[in-house]
Amino acid sequence: MRNADVLRFARDAAAGYPLRTSLSVLAMAIGVAAVVVLTALGDGARRYVVEQFSSLGSNLVIVLPGRSATGGFSPANAMTTTPRDLTVDDAAALSRLPSVRRVAPLTAGTSEINANGRLRETLVAGTASTYLDIRGFKMAQGSFLPEADWNRGAPVAVIGAKIQEEIFAGKPAVGELIRLGDRRLRIVGVLKSTGQGLGMNTDELVFVPVGIAQGMFNTNTLFRVLIEAKSRDQIEAVKREVAAILKARHGGEEDITVITQDAVLATFDKLLRALTAAVAGIAAISLAVAGILVMNVMLVAVTQRTSEIGLLKALGARGDTIRDAFMAEAAMLSLVGALTGYGLGLFGAFVLRQMYPVFPAYPPNWAVVAALVTALSTGLLFGIMPARRAARMDPVQALMKH
Amino acid sequence: MSVIQLAGIERVFHLGDSVVHALSRLDVAIDAGEYVAIMGPSGSGKSTLLNLLGLLDRPDAGSYRLEGRDVTTLSPDEQAAVRSRRIGFVFQSFHLVPRLTAAENVALPMMLAGIPVAERAQRVAQALKDFGLDQRADHRPDQLSGGQRQRVAIARATIMQPAVLLADEPTGNLDRATGDDVIHLLEALNERGMTLIIVTHDPKIGTRARRQLMMEDGELRQDSASTRLRQLDDNPPGPLSGKGGDGESPAAPAPDKPSAGAA
Ligand SMILES: Nc1ncnc2c1ncn2[C@@H]1O[C@H](COP(=O)(O)OP(=O)(O)O)[C@@H](O)[C@H]1O
Ligand SMILES: [Mg+2]
């Protein structure tokens, strides 16, 4: 029997029993769709986090006060009193390191902004002119904080897009005077909307020179020091040098934590990949179940078509021809089910993306390939037994069945 | 030359503790182009014999030569090839594939044999025309009458131009008139040289055949061919019938050769 004929025969046989065929196709489709949608969710979460982190800027090294939890507990740590503050002078010292391109100090607090007859609570970030480039932000109007001595700073402010919208209702804000807490500041720029940013939404921030912010909040400490390494290769060097210099400046205490975007990213990436794989594995169980269903459907088909098998043998069909025909049928059920499920899954992911536009819910290629391959191979694997049973059937007995 | 030669065929079924001798000590030879009816009561082994002739079943003992070749020792695949090319089956219950059209059912043996589509289509069209089914080519079995179904089945059985056509109660599911049509169709095929073997328990049909094999309890009770020979043996031609001398007569002439006494 020619291959084309085997396929046509199997197709007609499957089409001849629409209920049974559609049930097993459906089961397979649900299995594959589950894998596609769930991995789209998992991988979407991963991409979301990765994108969020990437938006922090490139070659970024972040210094925060205090030992990280991963530093472990040691008697020495327990003996120390509160860690020494991270200061503007520390940040300035860091900016002199050879592997460092830019440094931006960051201090933060909440205050009230009062302008244009409106009043609202806002987050205030005290930083420096370098911050814009480190974070890779763009200006919508005016310019960012001017270069100045970090300890003093001019009475100016840069506002986020949302603040501008809420307080100035779309009117140009540059040059306007605002009241921030007890300070009177002049707006020199408006940031372009970024819509994201882990933890803080920069659209709702007011940026002021770090000296002004420290005065406002009556503090000497920094919340963060953001460092941009000269290149990606220098990130490790920056980490080492920063740790060394701050240890020296803090009287030998290792009381700061240096994190890199890469490390955080890699951790999240690994975590969420594992999560996606686990979810895919769970969804794959439904594929195995679908495979078992295909096997049962094929066993029913073999039983139902016993007399047909007898007839085919009487007409000169060889055992392996009959086996191939039933295998082809099982493969078709699986293939059609897998493709239908793939379509359904893509549609499901599309619906997810429509519902949550910030969430890039695309199924990863490996999951799609794995789902399709698993569907096909379980279908074939579970198709072997019924097909063999058909091929081995005694023709005389088979012909007597009706 | 004999197209079929059976020697010492035994077929035994074990049903729990009981043993059924479905066929025992069977010796039969059938010549090419013969028209043979296998008759006998139900359970006498007719179908078992036919299945054996069609290579659907293997004997427990004895030899079966088809067209001079011992086919009992062939592998299953070789037997399938023989079934495909040399044997045609017609069944009581037609055994058409319900989802396939008449044309597709007729084409089935050629499809299994791997004959190209174009040749298949042409041969099916011819066969459907020959069997008066050209208007029914695209009908499914459930859209056909019993007689038409059996004609489709016969067209299918003969499409590969087999040497032997085996029919197991081909009229069993048909009314008298349609059954007669089917028998005439089979006989027409036989007249064109195809060896025809029909299993039937209907004496009216059985006696139409030129040779009858009477089965009983798995044994061949009577073979009309050898009966005629034996009758000739028992009543040798000649005026002296009262003497009844065994061995007096020489080898019997062929049955259809008019004997001197009958002349
Ligand atoms: N597969 C089988 N298993 C057991 N016994 C069988 C089987 N096939 C046939 N027989 C027995 O063999 C005998 C002959 O059967 P069969 O050839 O079908 O008779 P017929 O066709 O003349 O009616 C019967 O006694 C039947 O019960
Ligand atoms: Mg029978």
Side-chain angles (χ1 to χ4, degrees):
Chain A
M1 195 155 157
R2 285 152 184 268
N3 288 340
D5 286 326
V6 171
L7 293 180
R8 198 172 314 140
F9 188 81
R11 181 200 65 196
D12 291 349
Y17 302 88
L19 181 68
R20 210 173 59 199
T21 298
S22 45
L23 269 181
S24 47
V25 163
L26 188 69
M28 203 47 104
I30 288 173
V32 173
V35 173
V36 170
V37 169
L38 290 177
T39 55
L41 258 177
D43 206 52
R46 184 186 67 81
R47 282 186 216 208
Y48 179 75
V49 169
V50 168
E51 273 171 30
Q52 294 298 302
F53 269 93
S54 303
S55 72
L56 286 175
S58 60
N59 302 341
L60 192 63
V61 177
I62 302 169
V63 183
L64 35 152
R67 285 293 286 164
S68 76
T70 55
F73 176 85
S74 74
N77 279 350
M79 296 300 278
T80 57
T81 49
T82 46
R84 222 181 274 205
D85 295 337
L86 202 52
T87 64
V88 168
D89 290 340
D90 287 337
L94 296 180
S95 65
R96 288 189 289 271
L97 285 172
S99 53
V100 167
R101 173 166 293 147
R102 303 184 181 90
V103 170
L106 189 64
T107 188
T110 52
S111 185
E112 266 178 356
I113 176 168
N114 186 348
N116 200 25
R118 290 174 211 200
L119 186 74
R120 71 159 275 182
E121 182 98 340
T122 185
L123 262 175
V124 177
T127 186
S129 57
T130 44
Y131 182 84
L132 187 76
D133 286 330
I134 290 181
R135 296 293 309 268
F137 289 154
K138 297 274 180 300
M139 300 305 294
Q141 300 167 18
S143 55
F144 199 66
L145 301 174
E147 276 185 46
D149 183 342
W150 290 356
N151 282 312
R152 253 166 268 152
V156 294
V158 171
I159 58 175
K162 191 152 179 219
I163 301 274
Q164 195 240 353
E165 198 187 301
E166 286 185 5
I167 295 195
F168 296 98
K171 278 183 292 177
V174 175
E176 297 289 328
L177 273 178
I178 58 165
R179 227 187 152 74
L180 193 66
D182 57 353
R183 308 284 165 128
R184 289 173 64 80
L185 305 171
R186 189 171 298 279
I187 295 178
V188 293
V190 179
L191 276 177
K192 212 174 225 167
S193 172
T194 55
Q196 47 195 1
L198 227 53
M200 312 187 222
N201 186 346
T202 51
D203 291 353
E204 295 188 58
L205 277 179
V206 175
F207 292 92
V208 299
V210 62
I212 301 268
Q214 287 189 326
M216 273 172 69
F217 301 126
N218 192 24
T219 174
N220 284 323
T221 59
L222 292 177
F223 167 65
R224 296 281 188 274
V225 178
L226 305 186
I227 304 169
E228 187 185 333
K230 279 203 171 126
S231 72
R232 205 175 176 77
D233 307 331
Q234 306 257 38
I235 287 176
E236 279 309 307
V238 170
K239 259 178 94 168
R240 257 195 332 271
E241 290 167 10
V242 165
I245 209 165
L246 289 180
K247 186 176 176 183
R249 287 180 61 90
H250 291 186
E253 292 287 352
E254 286 181 0
D255 56 2
I256 50 108
T257 302
V258 183
I259 55 173
T260 60
Q261 187 184 331
D262 272 10
V264 177
L265 212 60
T267 308
F268 267 100
D269 193 64
K270 224 155 86 186
L271 191 79
L272 287 165
R273 269 181 205 280
L275 193 77
T276 306
V279 161
I282 292 166
I285 294 173
S286 65
L287 277 180
V289 173
I292 291 171
L293 197 94
V294 167
M295 175 171 74
N296 278 296
V297 160
M298 291 313 295
L299 281 176
V300 171
V302 169
T303 312
Q304 221 169 39
R305 302 221 297 269
T306 297
S307 83
E308 179 186 318
I309 294 165
L311 170 78
L312 292 177
K313 292 201 162 181
L315 296 182
R318 292 167 15 167
D320 53 3
T321 304
I322 288 169
R323 186 200 61 210
D324 291 351
F326 278 90
M327 288 293 283
E329 198 176 326
M332 272 179 202
L333 295 181
S334 313
L335 183 70
V336 173
L339 291 180
T340 309
Y342 178 51
L344 279 178
L346 286 188
F347 179 72
F350 171 77
V351 169
L352 274 178
R353 293 197 300 272
Q354 295 300 305
M355 280 163 51
Y356 309 102
V358 297
F359 204 71
Y362 294 93
N365 287 337
W366 63 263
V368 170
V369 170
L372 293 179
V373 168
T374 314
L376 274 187
S377 46
T378 50
L380 278 178
L381 195 72
F382 286 111
I384 289 175
M385 202 262 272
R388 280 223 185 121
R389 182 175 290 189
R392 288 211 208 102
M393 214 166 255
D394 173 51
V396 175
Q397 300 292 321
L399 277 166
M400 288 195 308
K401 291 263 166 53
H402 278 285
Chain B
M1 191 198 83
S2 299
V3 65
I4 288 169
Q5 250 181 316
L6 298 179
I9 293 290
E10 304 275 342
R11 185 68 177 101
V12 184
F13 292 110
H14 300 271
L15 273 179
D17 291 340
S18 66
V19 174
V20 181
H21 288 268
L23 294 174
S24 45
R25 296 189 306 278
L26 204 66
D27 304 289
V28 184
I30 295 171
D31 285 346
E34 267 198 274
Y35 176 9
V36 180
I38 302 175
M39 299 168 69
S42 180
S44 57
K46 307 183 293 293
S47 295
T48 304
L49 174 56
L50 206 71
N51 290 334
L52 219 116
L53 292 176
L55 296 180
L56 293 177
D57 198 8
R58 285 168 186 267
D60 295 302
S63 84
Y64 171 16
R65 301 180 85 80
L66 180 69
E67 298 184 301
R69 177 185 184 201
D70 187 350
V71 287
T72 47
T73 55
L74 296 182
S75 75
D77 282 357
E78 288 168 329
Q79 289 199 335
V82 173
R83 281 202 295 273
S84 166
R85 307 256 162 202
R86 308 310 296 154
I87 293 166
F89 274 103
V90 177
F91 305 95
Q92 175 174 358
S93 52
F94 321 130
H95 272 301
L96 300 180
V97 180
R99 62 177 180 277
L100 301 182
T101 63
E104 288 167 337
N105 266 289
V106 173
L108 206 47
M110 290 193 288
M111 187 182 89
L112 292 169
I115 291 171
V117 179
E119 187 186 339
R120 257 150 49 186
Q122 182 236 319
R123 274 164 73 175
V124 167
Q126 185 61 46
L128 289 174
K129 212 159 116 201
D130 292 348
F131 287 90
L133 290 162
D134 36 357
Q135 301 302 310
R136 299 279 175 272
D138 296 328
H139 289 188
R140 285 176 209 288
D142 59 3
Q143 299 165 318
L144 297 172
S145 72
Q148 287 168 337
R149 287 184 208 181
Q150 197 59 301
R151 268 188 284 158
V152 171
I154 294 170
R156 182 180 66 190
T158 53
I159 195 82
M160 294 292 290
Q161 289 152 350
V164 182
L165 186 57
L166 305 171
D168 196 349
E169 309 265 12
T171 62
N173 283 10
L174 301 173
D175 61 52
R176 182 97 249 161
T178 345
D180 285 349
D181 286 347
V182 163
I183 291 296
H184 289 144
L185 199 57
L186 293 171
E187 287 173 353
L189 288 163
N190 170 249
E191 267 151 35
R192 276 184 268 143
M194 196 174 286
T195 310
L196 176 62
I197 302 175
I198 299 183
V199 163
T200 181
H201 61 256
D202 181 346
K204 280 220 184 70
I205 291 171
T207 47
R208 294 178 62 94
R210 259 166 283 149
R211 179 179 174 191
Q212 288 84 30
L213 302 178
M214 295 300 298
M215 302 282 301
E216 211 180 308
D217 290 337
E219 291 181 33
L220 183 59
R221 275 294 135 82
Q222 209 184 352
D223 180 346
S224 64
S226 51
T227 307
R228 253 176 282 170
L229 289 182
R230 211 175 303 124
Q231 278 167 350
L232 291 173
D233 282 353
D234 292 346
N235 308 297
L240 303 172
S241 54
K243 277 188 180 173
D246 269 357
E248 263 185 29
S249 62
D256 49 354
K257 210 177 189 178
S259 65

